[in-house]
Amino acid sequence: SGAATSGAPGGETDAGQPAPADAERPAAGGGRIDYAHPRRSAAPPPPPAASPAPPGQPAAPVAGDATGWSMEERLYNQIWGMFEDLARTTAAYRSAVEFAESRMDQELDRVLDDPRSRIGGAGDAAREAARAECRRLADEARRVLDRDLAQLAAESEVVEPALPPAFARWDNPCWHGYRVPMEVPMALRIGDLHLPENPALRIPFLVRLPLERGLWVDSGRTGSEAALMLDEAQLRRQALDCAVGHAARLLAVYPPGEFSVHVIDPAGAGAAALAPLSGSGLLGAPPAPGAQGVREVLGRLTRRVDLVTMAVRGGAADSLPPDVDAAEQLLIVHDFPHGFDDRAVNQLRYLADEGPVVGVHLLMVADREEASGYGPVLDPLWRSLLRITPAPDDHLADPWVRHAWTYEPLTVPPGSDVVRQVLGQVAAAHRAWGR
């Protein structure tokens, strides 16, 4: 920010910290212009200090032990650091094991190529020595991996209880002390990620807010073992439950009146799963039934995207018609493509492409195979959405070494009514604020 600081003598910011060396420039009239941020010091506050560790032992992990201007930002950066550490230490382990096996194969090939090894027990001894060396190298790599995994597990144990609601699982006690926020958080947790080397070590899967792309909960039959154990009806119900949970979390982490949810359910097949949303009164309108309802909802949101886009480009964002809701919008689409004609499909694609920039987001609950009749026309739609699954599935890759990570959806503890309780508080806050 280039806001100037007033009343901060001696080249200091209003927080009493010395301004950066390049924060002041000569002004045309001979004075000086201070470009320091009026509410930020020259450097972010230091992270919490870890307690001293015994000699030869790693320091005890501390929640928020990362750079950032706030605890939320420090926790966000710490989680990404854990994600990267786990990706890289696992890559090093896999590389070491691959090297050991490759070296063993080379040694075995040399033994087979040497005619002298075919006489007596020299060949058997050489082969056993090659295998023993492979086991030694693999065991050493595993010891290093286990050491790193233990450190990351210890860090996870202190980080998880310290997470705010936007970053926390549904079983975190912070939801029982939930209060409606007044600011939009940095990110939202939509699941957990883990690798086969240690499935118990889960890394929170965070996406930045506002959403930069829509979400697609794949209700189709995937190749994962967890999905194969469910019948089609169970898979569809879990997919919609997953979508409702994400919508509830979005409503819970936005300030009152700054987030709105709409639902397309042409056949009414998802009424039971959608009950927490519809019963709370937080939906913009009852779920749209039939093809006519699909056209009305898509037409209204397409109009909003058009008007807001034109207003932003024309520098007239404050001159929108009074019937245009300025809040962020989420459209849950269930049972696609039932009730959709060609025009509705094109509108849906338009919302997926142009909506996120102006605050309209998609949450699709769909089986891609059921829409295969449209052919490649829908390929850009599926690619534009972040695919998640209602059952564990290893389809996500990290940006560093491209491991296949298993995505684990967030679930509500059995018998818990936390979602309805949170939505009840959100609805009460909306009424209190007249939204």
Side-chain angles (χ1 to χ4, degrees), residues 1 57 96-97 124 169 177 198 235 280 346 354 356 358 363 381 395:
S1 172
Q57 298 294 323
V97 171
D124 294 338
R169 292 194 298 253
N198 190 348
L235 201 57
S280 67
N346 287 331
E354 306 297 333
V358 291
L363 178 50
L381 171 65
H395 66 281

Side-chain angles (χ1 to χ4, degrees), residues 192-196 202 391-396 404-408:
D192 291 330
L193 300 172
H194 63 84
L195 291 171
R202 309 289 177 86
D393 190 82
D394 58 347
H395 66 281
L396 293 174
W405 292 76
T406 296
Y407 168 79
E408 188 92 22

Side-chain angles (χ1 to χ4, degrees), residues 148-234:
D148 294 342
L149 291 179
Q151 184 68 13
L152 285 170
E155 188 171 8
S156 178
E157 288 177 0
V158 299
V159 168
E160 193 70 45
L163 296 179
F167 295 1
R169 292 194 298 253
W170 284 118
D171 59 356
N172 193 303
C174 70
W175 287 107
H176 298 288
Y178 167 78
R179 295 293 182 269
V180 177
M182 291 295 107
E183 294 183 356
V184 180
M186 291 183 59
L188 182 77
R189 186 174 186 166
I190 62 170
D192 291 330
L193 300 172
H194 63 84
L195 291 171
E197 280 76 7
N198 190 348
L201 179 56
R202 309 289 177 86
I203 303 296
F205 183 21
L206 304 179
V207 294
R208 290 298 297 265
L209 293 179
L211 296 172
E212 297 179 355
R213 58 193 298 201
L215 301 175
W216 166 30
V217 184
D218 190 352
S219 60
R221 181 72 66 189
T222 63
S224 71
E225 294 183 6
L228 292 174
M229 295 178 65
L230 301 173
D231 61 34
E232 185 176 340
Q234 289 176 317

Side-chain angles (χ1 to χ4, degrees), residues 128-143:
E128 182 55 35
R131 295 189 183 99
E133 179 65 9
C134 178
R135 288 193 296 269
R136 187 189 69 79
L137 293 174
D139 290 344
E140 177 62 26
R142 185 71 208 196
R143 280 193 292 272

Side-chain angles (χ1 to χ4, degrees), residues 66-80:
T67 58
W69 293 95
S70 65
M71 177 57 79
E72 180 189 46
E73 186 176 357
R74 291 198 293 267
L75 287 169
Y76 176 85
N77 290 333
Q78 185 173 17
I79 289 171
W80 268 95

